């Protein structure tokens, strides 16, 4: 599964307002924290937002997409996951 990242969410856009939920839908850790494999929030552990407006830690999402059961779908709404391009 090859994933195209159209947009990286860095610190300049850290005050996101797209997320409907304040925790990552995969690891359930808040977005101002990090995914389970990172230590420092921000640039080192960016967020990724899909066209469906679901947001995740990028690392959590990439890990999810490498699992066979993901089938390239958003884990929240089961729509094909594509990064938002706005
Ligand atoms: Zn996460
Ligand atoms: Zn991370
Ligand atoms: Zn979704």
């Amino acid at each position: 599964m090859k994933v195209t990242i159209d947009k990286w969410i860095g610190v300049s856009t850290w005050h996101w307002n797209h997320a409907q939920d304040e925790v990552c839908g995969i690891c359930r850790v808040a977005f101002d924290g990090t995914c389970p494999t990172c230590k420092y929030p921000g640039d080192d552990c960016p967020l990724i937002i899909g066209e469906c407006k679901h947001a995740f830690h990028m690392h959590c999402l990439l890990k999810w997409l490498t699992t066979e059961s993901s089938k390239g779908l958003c884990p929240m709404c089961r729509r094909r996951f594509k990064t938002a391009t706005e």
Side-chain angles (χ1 to χ4, degrees), residues 32-75:
D32 57 4
T34 69
C35 75
T37 55
C38 290
K39 284 197 176 71
Y40 306 103
D43 271 349
D44 287 343
C45 189
L47 302 183
I48 189 168
I49 299 171
E51 282 185 338
C52 61
K53 302 295 185 207
H54 286 125
F56 308 95
H57 296 117
M58 189 189 71
H59 299 138
C60 292
L61 198 270
L62 292 181
K63 206 187 292 173
W64 157 254
L65 290 177
T66 62
T67 64
E68 247 175 59
S69 55
S70 78
K71 295 182 169 62
L73 305 179
C74 170

Side-chain angles (χ1 to χ4, degrees), residues 14-30:
W14 188 241
H15 295 285
W16 46 268
N17 52 17
H18 295 286
Q20 298 162 341
D21 216 327
E22 295 204 344
V23 300
C24 171
I26 296 172
C27 69
R28 300 288 167 188
V29 171

